[in-house]
Amino acid sequence: MKIKYIVCSIFTLFFIVSCDNEELAELNINPNTVNSLEPGYTFASAQLGTSNRSWTTEVIYCGMMSGQLASLETYYSGDKYTLNESYATGLWGYYGGVVKSLVNLKTQLAAPEDVNKLSMVRIWLALVFSKITDLHGDVPYFEAGLGYLENLTTPVYNLQSDIYKDLLKELEESLNAFTNTQNTFENQDIVYNGDL
């Protein structure tokens, strides 16, 4: 029995030592997945993600609560002044999707020929943060979206007044950076179709 155990151990050890790590690593690569996304797709996805969350929170909750709209639908709670947690906190979902994607895009679009695309991302990010801070006041802003890039998972809350100042700075710098000599996201910009 000991001899069988020793032979099996040596046999197993032989196969463990003789494995080619590169060959095994290739087996773990899924040929059906995308390793990097074209920035235009990410930008279009962020635009769509912004409108999806805006509908429930801004239109059927805040718009009705402020008296701009009304509905006979029983599940619309804004005009009935009842709390609906998912509508009230809906814009927090921007952080995990839209904000993260746009902050990541800002780091990808560092080349001089991407100046228009970067400016479009900065403007869209300003729009997103204006919605968040309009509804919630002081929110994470300067460190937001850096969880993936810098492992910053507990961003500090910034004052709403500081956020508004920086949003205006971002908009002004982005508008001044636009140039007719560089490309935009073109048809991947689903709002303006890349028209500066």
Side-chain angles (χ1 to χ4, degrees), residues 4 13 28 55 57 85 98 158:
K4 286 182 181 179
L13 185 62
N28 287 326
W55 169 252
T57 301
E85 285 287 335
V98 174
N158 301 108

Side-chain angles (χ1 to χ4, degrees), residues 141-153:
Y141 174 71
F142 291 104
E143 296 177 348
L146 298 175
Y148 175 74
L149 295 171
E150 298 180 15
N151 199 24
L152 183 61
T153 56

Side-chain angles (χ1 to χ4, degrees), residues 20-122:
D20 183 6
N21 288 338
E22 288 182 31
E23 233 177 81
L24 288 176
E26 288 178 20
L27 289 175
N28 287 326
I29 296 173
N30 185 347
N32 299 318
T33 61
V34 177
N35 294 325
S36 64
L37 286 176
E38 161 32 60
Y41 296 130
T42 304
F43 185 69
S45 175
Q47 287 181 317
L48 284 173
T50 304
S51 64
N52 289 346
R53 293 207 177 266
S54 292
W55 169 252
T56 54
T57 301
E58 295 179 53
V59 177
I60 66 176
Y61 194 61
C62 297
M64 292 186 177
M65 195 172 280
S66 64
Q68 295 172 343
L69 304 166
S71 175
L72 296 175
E73 294 290 341
T74 56
Y75 64 91
Y76 284 15
S77 51
D79 58 347
K80 291 147 191 77
Y81 302 104
T82 56
L83 178 63
N84 183 318
E85 285 287 335
S86 66
Y87 291 169
T89 60
L91 296 187
W92 285 107
Y94 280 155
Y95 284 103
V98 174
V99 170
K100 180 181 85 169
S101 294
L102 292 173
V103 169
N104 189 33
L105 269 179
K106 281 175 63 174
T107 62
Q108 290 177 17
L109 300 172
E113 62 269 11
D114 291 330
V115 65
N116 286 343
K117 293 176 182 179
L118 177 61
S119 295
M120 293 168 75
V121 168
R122 290 173 69 186

